[in-house]
Amino acid sequence: MAKKEAGFSTWLQRVRRTGEFSDVKVCVNGEEFHLHMLPLLNASAYFRNLPSTSNGSPPLSSSPHSAQHGCCRIINIPDLPGGVEGFSAIADFCYLLKPNFTLENVAPIRAAAEFLGVTEVLECSKKFLYVNVFVQWQASVSFLQHYHRLSSPVDEYVETRCLKVIVAACAKAFGETKYLTAPILFLANRTPENNHHRHTTSSQCQTLTEILVHMSSLPDAYASEAIEALVDAKVNLNLKCRQSRNVRSWLNSLIDNDCQTDRARCWVVLCLSRMLIKGAPAIRPWMELSSQYWCTLLEHVDHLVTMVDEVMKVRLVVVKKVLEHRIGVGMEELDDYLHCYRFVPETLLSMIGYYVDEADPDPESLDEVAGEVDGFLWNFAETGSIAPDVFLSLFKAFPASCRQSHDTTYGSIEKLLAKRPDCTPDDKQQLWRLVDPSKLSPAVNEAALSNPGFLSQPHILESVLQHHSEELSKLDDNDGRNLRHIMQKVINASLKLLEENSRRSNEIVELQKQYAALLGGKLQDSSESSPDPLWRSNVQSHHRLFVNKNVTEVPEISEAPSTTIVGSIHGSV
């Protein structure tokens, strides 16, 4: 009996191969299969349910196949899931040939088996997938990386189970990891023949790193679904052992070194940020996990948001705003100095806005943060990476009382203007107006008074004249040497002020000429259009004073310095 069965099986496989006695032609995606209805009816529910006339679906018709075989049926299956490869394997199974599953063909065969109702092949493919794909997260990641969707229920079946395996492994790794630390570099058997470096780290942390890196390398659709599932898993990130200084080094190593593409870096940052935000408490303190975690993630978001397409940028910006708000309002919870992080100016401004407006800081904390922001301004100015308006906003975010010294501010503005020669005159004036000369140390003040740009500001010259007038008031009338020295400084400052006012008046006159030309009108006489009708006489009077060295008469200056200041100088003389 066994021999008869073997003989029948052999005969079936031979006619499958040769197409002898074929009574049905199945057309799949343009390719023809010359088969036999009996084996197909025996194995497939699809063929058993076909109507016996040509009115059914898929179309069934009769036409002469060959003169030798007479009439045969023609069955068209134009959009069979799994395509020609899947149908060929199912046809072989109908002729008692078991499918030879591989990672590449198991999905197409399963898709064709589902469509054609071949339950035995479904069971066989299920076993193969569980043994070779769903058994561990590495296999699931590898399978998804090369998977091509088939527009079949098998897509959801394979993808859902693969992602479930990956997410479960990642959640488990988070739970088992006790120390988040970057690999430690050490020398192993270093000899002239074996001169290389090796890295080591905790096995749990290494596993977590590997899962995150591989998950982030998945196609976007799968990476997005995996992150959603991991966020919903509510993994507990709040472990005290992670509040060490190793957190930042681990994040930097993971994102900068282990991830190979900017796309992968974005997915890792999104995953960790969303998990962190989801697990943070609704009320302060928010940074129960090390604030290094929050700030380092924001650093990387800052960097990546300028390097990706619009779709990814939208995802990053949503996370960025939440991180800025949480860090800004919780700035007093930082376990590191703010200046340790590399935030871009706009991000820092956003955080400071939340801090000042919502955190209700005490004066001491406000002073401390203002000092750190001044350090940022210095660094930004050195590289020219901050726009003048952002510089102004960051400086003005704090009350004037927060800064007892303006030395750093003066140096930052000087560096910024050197790095950004494109600053407009208005930008320069607004920047220099931030500096309070009375808050400059003697050494910086002396350097500032030698800076033409700094001295070109009328309010600076006014303060200089005010200072000199105070010096004069303290001198003895018989101290002629010092008196002449101070008066010479008064004259120089006054001339500088007159020169600056003259330059600005000339600019106004030129603008008026251009405006009149546009209107087609006549420009008024320049003496009438000057902002101060006494200007011309004042300049001449001051010139005579300088030439004659006559310190007993100082002319009144119309714009700056004010008449009060000049009057006080005149009175002291």
Side-chain angles (χ1 to χ4, degrees), residues 392 409-411 413-415 417 427-437 448 451-457 459-460:
L392 289 163
T409 304
Y410 172 82
I413 295 172
E414 192 175 39
K415 288 179 178 293
L417 294 178
D427 288 336
K428 294 177 182 178
Q429 183 175 1
Q430 291 190 61
L431 287 170
W432 283 127
R433 280 190 175 277
L434 298 178
V435 181
D436 184 348
N451 185 334
F454 182 70
L455 275 178
S456 68
Q457 309 305 312
H459 77 288
I460 302 298

Side-chain angles (χ1 to χ4, degrees), residues 137-149:
W137 68 265
Q138 293 95 332
S140 294
V141 168
S142 178
F143 189 81
L144 287 181
Q145 284 175 332
H146 301 94
Y147 184 69
H148 299 286
R149 297 179 66 88

Side-chain angles (χ1 to χ4, degrees), residues 150 164 201 236 295 307 313 415 446 455-456 542 546:
L150 302 169
K164 185 176 181 181
T201 188
N236 181 18
C295 294
M307 305 175 66
K313 184 176 181 179
K415 288 179 178 293
E446 184 176 350
L455 275 178
S456 68
H542 199 90
F546 180 67

Side-chain angles (χ1 to χ4, degrees), residues 404-424:
Q404 301 304 314
S405 171
H406 277 203
D407 287 2
T408 302
T409 304
Y410 172 82
S412 300
I413 295 172
E414 192 175 39
K415 288 179 178 293
L416 179 61
L417 294 178
K419 287 289 184 178
R420 301 196 64 152
D422 57 332
C423 285
T424 66

Side-chain angles (χ1 to χ4, degrees), residues 323-341:
L323 292 175
E324 287 173 348
H325 182 253
R326 292 293 186 95
I327 296 171
V329 181
M331 200 166 286
E332 294 180 10
E333 301 173 42
L334 297 183
D335 51 14
D336 262 339
Y337 289 111
L338 185 64
H339 64 252
C340 294
Y341 301 98

